[in-house]
């Protein structure tokens, strides 16, 4: 079957700031098709932050309730998608826009309180981004290598109504996993018929944990994602295939719960891909798999378990 490329324009019709199964899709694609789009930064900004503290321009018009969350493109309906199937999201291209920002301190939170940075003004780093060189430079001349990815990739909960974009869910959303760069494939359980997939929240670079609550938040100049329906395996939690191996994303209200869900997910992968019995998979995971903190800032925290390719050999 021929693959079709669908260009989704960046305009009011294609933007939304919440998840809902009742949103009308902006386009319907077939399994295997590719969508191409650009994004605003998560805060709906039209320009870089101003160092004098004055307000920057934002996208308008916006609904104060329905557009309170991340600026997302979509939703995209996938023909033939049914709840219970798996959506394979092939991340083909993620190219940053010209600027980004990182904010730290200046508001109360358990971690800011613990670090004694809750009071006073926020520190804002404004980054000049060079997509071709793959580098970012802040206003003080400090540079970092870029690793761009989408913070939000997901579908709405099956329950009706308006749902915030902030907390990640088993159907994806605000996963904030820095491993989901171009060349990676993300697998998500489909919660609703049609899938209704949305994406946004460009990050030029992020550390595991996203400890200040922001990465290098940025618009994205070009994103290309392939969307494929899978009915050959059922998922309990999101998993991803990276150039280095497999990872499973666990979510929960505590790190203990998220870690348990991530390990559960990577054991499922080991059973399916390597044909292991579950207790053998757990023993081997304890030897060769890594458990990392994805993010601790979205209310629902994230942990991902990583199984590198070739970590387990089999002799005849």
């Amino acid at each position: 079957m021929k693959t079709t490329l669908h260009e989704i324009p960046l305009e009011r019709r294609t933007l939304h700031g919440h998840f809902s199964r009742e949103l009308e899709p902006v386009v319907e694609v077939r399994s295997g098709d590719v969508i191409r789009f650009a994004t605003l930064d998560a805060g709906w900004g039209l320009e870089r932050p101003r160092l004098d503290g004055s307000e920057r321009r934002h996208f308008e018009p916006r609904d104060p309730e329905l557009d309170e969350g991340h600026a997302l493109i979509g939703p995209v309906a996938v023909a033939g998608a049914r709840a219970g199937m798996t959506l394979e999201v092939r991340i083909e291209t993620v190219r940053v826009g010209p600027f980004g920002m990182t904010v730290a301190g200046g508001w109360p939170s358990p971690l800011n309180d613990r670090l004694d940075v809750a009071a006073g003004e926020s520190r804002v780093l404004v980054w000049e981004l060079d997509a071709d060189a793959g580098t970012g430079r802040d206003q003080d001349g400090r540079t970092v290598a870029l690793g761009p990815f989408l913070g939000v990739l997901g579908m709405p909960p099956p329950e009706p109504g308006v749902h915030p974009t902030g907390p990640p869910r088993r159907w994806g959303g605000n996963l904030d996993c820095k491993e989901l760069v171009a060349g990676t494939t993300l697998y998500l359980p489909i919660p609703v018929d049609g899938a209704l997939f949305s994406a946004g929240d460009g990050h030029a670079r992020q550390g595991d944990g996203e400890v200040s609550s922001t990465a290098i938040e940025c618009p994205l100049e070009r994103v290309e994602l392939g969307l494929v329906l899978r009915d050959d395996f059922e998922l309990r939690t999101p998993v991803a295939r990276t150039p280095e191996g497999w990872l499973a994303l666990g979510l929960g209200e505590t790190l203990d719960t998220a870690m348990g869900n991530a390990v559960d997910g990577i054991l499922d992968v080991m059973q399916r891909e390597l044909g292991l019995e579950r207790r053998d998979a757990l023993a081997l995971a304890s030897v060769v798999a890594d458990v990392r903190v994805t993010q601790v800032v979205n209310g629902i925290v994230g942990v991902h378990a990583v199984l590198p390719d070739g970590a387990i050999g089999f002799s005849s």
Side-chain angles (χ1 to χ4, degrees), residues 286-305:
S286 193
V287 175
V288 299
D290 293 316
V291 173
R292 301 171 184 163
V293 176
T294 316
Q295 56 77 24
V296 293
V297 299
N298 294 330
I300 298 299
V301 299
V303 169
H304 55 285

Side-chain angles (χ1 to χ4, degrees), residues 28-98:
E28 182 178 72
V29 305
R30 295 176 302 179
S31 177
D33 285 354
V34 175
I35 56 174
R36 177 188 291 163
F37 55 91
T39 72
L40 302 171
D41 64 38
W44 300 72
L46 293 176
E47 61 184 0
R48 70 195 70 240
R50 299 173 180 175
L51 292 175
D52 63 5
S54 61
E55 186 72 13
R56 64 177 179 149
R57 292 184 303 119
H58 291 82
F59 183 93
E60 296 293 345
R62 290 165 61 192
D63 186 295
E65 294 182 2
L66 298 181
D67 296 325
E68 186 178 7
H70 301 83
L72 302 182
I73 289 287
V76 175
V78 183
R82 296 291 180 264
M85 298 173 71
T86 292
L87 183 66
E88 177 181 304
V89 183
R90 299 175 180 172
I91 304 169
E92 299 182 1
T93 302
V94 184
R95 182 177 173 87
V96 299

Side-chain angles (χ1 to χ4, degrees), residues 6 58 109 136 218 275 295 297 312:
H6 301 264
H58 291 82
S109 72
C218 70
Q295 56 77 24
V297 299
I312 303 168

